[in-house]
C-alpha cells in the first residue's frame, strides 16, 4: 500500500511554523524595528516579520528577510508605515551588511519553484535547529 503524501499547503504551514519559531529564537525574541524584548517562547506578540511580504515564495523563508518583530511594528509595516519600513531596512543593513535590502528586492523577482522536496528538507533542517535553540 502506498503512503499518502501530505498535501503541499500542510507542508507550507509546517515549514512556516518551525521556521518562524527559529527566527524568534535566533533573534532572542527582540523586535528588529523597535528593540522591544519578549519572554522566551512568545508567539502572540512576537512575530517573525517579513521585510518582503511572505506572499513572495522566493524570500518567504530567507533568513535575512525574516526577523523577530513585535506585533505592533509588524502591523504598521503591513499598513505601509514608511517610518517602520525605513527603520526595518536600516536595521537589515546593519545586521547583515550593506546591500542586503537590494539583494532581497532582487531575489523577490527571481523565479522560485516551490516543491515537496524543498519543503520537506527545510522542515527537517529547521526542526533540528529549533530543538537546538530550545535546549540552550
Amino acid at each position: 500500500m502506498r503512503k499518502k503524501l501530505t498535501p503541499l499547503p500542510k507542508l507550507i504551514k509546517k515549514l512556516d511554523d518551525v521556521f518562524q519559531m527559529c527566527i524568534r529564537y535566533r533573534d532572542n525574541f527582540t523586535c528588529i524595528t523597535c528593540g522591544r524584548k519578549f519572554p522566551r517562547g512568545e508567539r502572540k506578540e512576537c512575530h517573525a516579520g517579513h521585510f518582503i511580504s511572505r506572499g513572495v515564495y522566493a524570500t518567504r523563508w530567507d533568513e535575512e528577510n525574516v526577523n523577530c518583530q513585535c506585533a505592533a511594528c509588524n502591523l504598521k509595516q503591513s499598513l505601509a508605515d514608511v517610518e517602520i519600513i525605513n527603520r526595518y531596512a536600516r536595521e537589515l543593513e546593519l545586521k547583515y551588511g550593506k546591500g542586503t535590502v537590494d539583494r532581497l528586492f532582487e531575489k523577490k523577482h527571481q523565479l522560485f519553484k516551490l516543491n515537496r522536496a524543498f519543503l520537506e528538507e527545510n522542515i527537517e533542517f529547521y526542526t533540528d535547529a529549533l530543538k537546538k535553540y530550545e535546549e540552550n
Side-chain angles (χ1 to χ4, degrees), residues 52-124:
I52 304 287
S53 169
R54 65 181 255 143
V56 178
Y57 282 139
T59 56
R60 184 174 184 143
W61 300 286
D62 183 309
E63 290 187 28
E64 292 179 358
N65 184 55
V66 186
N67 294 271
C68 189
Q69 197 173 38
C70 72
C73 287
N74 197 4
L75 175 62
K76 288 176 186 175
Q77 181 178 332
S78 69
L79 296 173
D81 182 311
V82 175
E83 182 182 338
I84 294 294
I85 293 168
N86 287 339
R87 191 178 310 157
Y88 198 159
R90 277 193 311 273
E91 293 301 324
L92 285 175
E93 298 282 320
L94 289 171
K95 185 173 183 178
Y96 301 111
K98 189 173 168 84
T100 300
V101 171
D102 289 340
R103 186 193 66 75
L104 289 172
F105 277 113
E106 286 174 18
K107 188 173 182 181
K108 172 184 178 179
H109 298 290
Q110 292 175 357
L111 182 62
F112 179 81
K113 180 100 168 102
L114 183 65
N115 61 60
R116 180 174 304 283
F118 171 87
L119 294 168
E120 289 173 345
E121 287 168 15
N122 280 281
I123 288 167
E124 182 178 348

